[in-house]
Structures are given as structure tokens and as C-alpha cells.
Amino acid sequence: MSNQERKWVPAAFFPVSPLILVPEAMGNFSVYLRQDNDFVLYAKGGEKFTEAQRHKLFESGVSEVYVQTTDKPGFDDYVERNLGGILMDESLPLKERSRLFYETSNSVVREAFSERLPPRLAEDQFERLSNVVKQSMRFLKDARALRAIGPFISHDYRTYTHSLQVFVYAMSMLAAVGVPEDELYEYGLGAMLHDIGKTRVPRSILNKRGALTPQERRVVMTHSVQGVALCANLGISQRTFNCILFHHERMDGKGYPSGIGGEDLHISVRAISLADAYDALTSNRPYAPAMRPYDALNLMRHEMQGAFDMDLFKLFIEILSGAALA
């Protein structure tokens, strides 16, 4: 049997690293080992996986264990609940932690930004988003994180992938300038939810390939206010609301919805504004192909003069350069 054949995994199973299995945490999924093309039950769903078991597998050269695809909802719930511990576990390769962060976060944000969003963001969806922000903050403060997450960044624009990526970029900037951790959570939540109001904009407008009419542009410009309305019942702090409401304001006061600028714009809003523009420009949108990172930054610097805090812009370039993305 060839190596290629041995690597084949049937659709009924998917591989995970044994180091993801958090000691003493119970998951509603079973774990299997692979022996040639057979899968042997190793731990039943609901059993606690011990530290000794976890490291014995890894030290024995077992780099992957397997979970049935029918158990994926239980596995995803387990990862969400234990995300913070998994992300900060240095024994797990950084690449694997980054992949888990992106896939888990992306799934949560995608569901929260579903097309059939009710008049208010549901509390359970908000709690899941909030949990992702809380559990990933320390991980994203690590200067290595953005480099590791880079390969997973999507360049096909979707509101939910865009919101997640703006969250990652903004958190990197705000951590670099030393924003306190309790505030970082509030601003991170604002970054994650900054475009939630676009779920209230007709998809025919969002996906339009040509230039928007003045009326269509006015509809799009309501999304920041719509976002605040969607989150009004969730007990969100004013700091978070400000991120949602003001992320299209500019340093020169020519933004919307209020036309404020300069020092009246908190650094969190400035960071989200930068991240928002950069991620949009480097993504394939219905009306424009993705730009190369260098070209996007060059456009932001020379053709969007007055929009951004230039000190923060320079810091953002340094962060991106260190992550080999620019």
C-alpha cells in the first residue's frame, strides 16, 4: 500500500491532534485511533481524557486521532468551551492552534451573521461571540499569532470572514499599543460586531458588481446605526457600541454617521477603521478584485489621505511586515 493510500481518510472521520484533547474536560464525541484503514475506539464520548493519555499518544508518535463526522457538533462545542486553554498550550504547535482559532471563530461568526438574523442578535449567538473574543485575547497578543494565522485568512469577501479578520488585525494593533486587557475585550467585541448591521442591508446592494447609486450608498451607510440597533438588548458597553457606530469615521472628520474626527476618535475606532479598509482592499469583492497587501497599503496612504491615524498606520505596517503579510 502506498503512502498516499495510507493518508486517505474516509469522509466518516476527520483528524485532530491529540494535544487538543484537554485533560479532565469531557467532550460529547468519541476518539478513535487509526490502524491501517481501520478505526479503533480509544475513548468514548463523555469520558474524561487524562493528561497521561494525552501525552502518551503524542510521545508514541501518534500525531493524529480521529473523530466521527457525526460527532462534529459535539467536538465544535468542546473546542469553543476550551478554546482559551487550547490556544495558550505551548505543547500544541502554533500552526495547529492558529488553524483551530480561525476555523472555530469563523464558524461562530458565520452563524451570528446568518442571512435570517432576527430584529435583535440572539443572546446565545452573542454569548458565543463574546466567548471567542474572551478566550482568544491572550493568544492574539502574542506577536507570533498573526504570522501563524496568515495562511488561513480568507481573501474571498464575506461579511463574517471580514469581521473576524478585522478583529484579528485590530487586536494586534491595540495589544501593541498596550490597551489594558479589560478594555481590549470591549474593543475586540466591537471589532467582531462592527459590520453586523450589514445583515440589514439587501444582499442585492452588498453584492452589486457595478457602482452603487447615491440611494444605494445611503442604504449601505446605515449599517453602523443598524448594527447598534441589533445589539441594543445585549448589555454591551458604550466602548463596544462606539466601535460599531463610528468605524467609518475619519481622522479628517469626513466620515459617517456623525462626521467626528481627530482626537474625538478613540484609538480603538482608529484601529478598527484601518483594519476594516485593509481587509476589504485585500479581499475579492463583487466590484473589485483583491489587491496585493503592498498596493492596498500604498492606496490607503496616498489616495485615502486624511482617513487614518498615520502613527497607527505606521505601526500597522510594522505588524504586517513582521507577520510577512505586507
Side-chain angles (χ1 to χ4, degrees):
M1 183 178 292
S2 68
N3 288 336
Q4 185 175 2
E5 289 174 322
R6 286 185 180 274
K7 291 179 181 178
W8 176 80
V9 178
F13 291 88
F14 61 93
V16 299
S17 168
L19 294 178
I20 290 170
L21 303 173
V22 179
E24 304 307 316
M26 289 190 295
N28 188 25
F29 59 92
S30 297
V31 176
Y32 293 80
L33 299 181
R34 183 170 184 178
Q35 296 181 351
D36 294 324
N37 282 330
D38 293 325
F39 292 85
V40 180
L41 181 65
Y42 185 73
K44 292 182 179 179
E47 291 183 357
K48 288 184 177 180
F49 203 78
T50 68
E51 180 71 31
Q53 285 177 303
R54 180 176 182 253
H55 281 283
K56 184 177 180 181
L57 283 174
F58 198 77
E59 290 167 5
S60 299
V62 178
S63 60
E64 292 180 329
V65 294
Y66 297 85
V67 177
Q68 288 183 302
T69 53
T70 52
D71 283 345
K72 194 170 190 307
F75 177 78
D76 290 344
D77 176 69
Y78 166 87
V79 172
E80 281 186 44
R81 286 187 285 108
N82 296 283
L83 185 61
I86 293 171
L87 293 180
M88 297 309 296
D89 186 348
E90 292 288 341
S91 67
L92 184 63
L94 182 60
K95 180 179 179 180
E96 181 68 13
R97 285 182 279 155
S98 299
R99 181 187 65 78
L100 264 179
F101 160 76
Y102 194 85
E103 290 181 355
T104 301
S105 303
N106 194 41
S107 176
V108 172
V109 179
R110 182 176 64 246
E111 291 184 30
F113 281 61
S114 64
E115 294 182 20
R116 297 184 178 182
L117 200 66
R120 296 285 186 272
L121 181 62
E123 288 190 16
D124 61 335
Q125 291 175 327
F126 172 73
E127 288 300 324
R128 291 178 69 200
L129 281 170
S130 176
N131 179 60
V132 165
V133 173
K134 287 177 181 177
Q135 295 208 55
S136 60
M137 284 194 309
R138 289 178 61 202
F139 176 66
L140 294 176
K141 288 173 71 175
D142 187 331
R144 302 170 300 164
L146 185 57
R147 178 190 294 272
I149 293 168
F152 306 105
I153 294 288
S154 171
H155 295 290
D156 288 320
Y157 187 94
R158 299 288 186 277
T159 300
Y160 59 87
T161 54
H162 170 69
S163 294
L164 172 57
Q165 287 155 199
V166 167
F167 164 67
V168 172
Y169 293 136
M171 291 291 274
S172 298
M173 282 184 274
L174 294 174
V177 299
V179 170
E181 194 161 303
D182 59 334
E183 293 183 28
L184 198 60
Y185 161 71
E186 295 175 276
Y187 304 140
L189 189 58
M192 192 77 92
L193 291 168
H194 81 282
D195 264 355
I196 191 73
K198 284 188 177 178
T199 61
R200 283 285 169 269
V201 176
R203 301 197 70 78
S204 59
I205 295 179
L206 291 178
N207 297 331
K208 185 175 179 180
R209 293 189 175 276
L212 297 180
T213 67
Q215 175 59 28
E216 289 170 335
R217 185 167 297 279
R218 285 192 290 270
V219 171
V220 172
M221 290 172 64
T222 67
H223 78 273
S224 54
V225 175
Q226 298 263 27
V228 170
L230 280 166
C231 301
N233 65 320
L234 298 172
I236 287 176
S237 74
Q238 190 60 51
R239 288 170 175 160
T240 298
F241 274 132
N242 288 347
C243 293
I244 299 170
L245 185 60
F246 298 131
H247 69 275
H248 278 291
E249 301 289 359
R250 295 167 48 111
M251 289 297 290
D252 59 11
K254 296 180 181 179
Y256 66 88
S258 301
I260 59 176
E263 294 302 315
D264 290 330
L265 291 178
H266 191 269
I267 192 168
S268 59
V269 175
R270 302 180 203 178
I272 293 170
S273 174
L274 266 170
D276 183 36
Y278 175 78
D279 188 69
L281 290 169
T282 55
S283 298
N284 289 308
R285 294 167 290 170
Y287 51 88
M291 300 179 70
R292 294 180 304 171
Y294 174 83
D295 293 334
L297 292 168
N298 195 48
L299 183 149
M300 291 168 68
R301 173 67 179 88
H302 297 289
E303 297 184 36
M304 300 176 71
Q305 291 184 13
F308 308 114
D309 178 329
M310 294 313 298
D311 290 333
L312 196 58
F313 181 77
K314 292 173 185 176
L315 173 64
F316 188 43
I317 291 176
E318 292 175 9
I319 291 171
L320 291 173
S321 298
L325 295 176

